[in-house]
Amino acid sequence: MEIEKINIAHKFSSFEDYWSPKIVGELNNQLVKVAKFKGEFVMHHHKNEDELFYVISGELYIELNNKTLYLQAGELVVIPKGVAHKPYAPEEVHVMLFEPAATLNTGNVNNSLTVSDPDTI
């Protein structure tokens, strides 16, 4: 197995679609994903998995039941399993995600935004 570095900016430039995470790495049964967000997502939760959102560029909002989080480039948040959340971004935001391999992007909701088999880029 050859070990190679990953250029995150290059990975983001390789796709245009929103709300469709792409796998860029794996460690300890966790996937490292990148995604572009813009607009509204869906309120959902993950029954068995925590989810980490790290903002690479732009601004991300995450609506919770009792407040809305605001994240800027260089900031991250861990959403614990079972906590309902809805990410949204008025403008394009680039996000890195760390989550178990079995995690669906829409959690307990299955709709047109669900990506059950993300591409590896």
Side-chain angles (χ1 to χ4, degrees):
M1 176 170 124
E2 187 171 340
I3 299 172
E4 296 185 24
K5 66 181 180 179
I6 298 168
N7 183 306
I8 298 299
H10 180 262
K11 296 294 185 184
F12 276 111
S13 70
S14 71
F15 66 95
E16 296 294 323
D17 48 337
Y18 296 122
W19 305 112
S20 183
K22 313 294 184 203
I23 300 167
V24 296
E26 184 174 353
L27 68 157
N28 302 320
N29 296 316
Q30 296 276 318
L31 295 180
V32 180
K33 300 176 183 176
V34 294
K36 293 179 181 180
F37 297 167
K38 185 175 180 183
E40 297 281 329
F41 200 55
V42 60
M43 182 67 80
H44 67 284
H45 71 272
H46 303 276
K47 182 178 178 183
N48 300 310
E49 305 97 4
D50 300 330
E51 188 173 28
L52 183 147
F53 293 85
Y54 175 62
V55 177
I56 303 295
S57 66
E59 300 174 330
L60 176 65
Y61 296 85
I62 300 179
E63 183 180 325
L64 305 172
N65 286 332
N66 61 346
K67 66 180 177 179
T68 299
L69 303 173
Y70 168 67
L71 290 88
Q72 297 175 296
E75 296 180 323
L76 66 85
V77 66
V78 175
I79 305 296
K81 63 184 170 189
V83 174
H85 58 286
K86 181 178 98 170
Y88 64 92
E91 300 298 325
E92 183 174 283
V93 60
H94 295 182
V95 177
M96 183 177 287
L97 306 157
F98 291 89
E99 53 198 18
T103 304
L104 280 179
N105 65 323
T106 54
N108 65 314
V109 176
N110 191 355
N111 64 15
S112 63
L113 296 172
T114 302
V115 178
S116 57
D117 189 22
D119 294 335
T120 299
I121 59 171

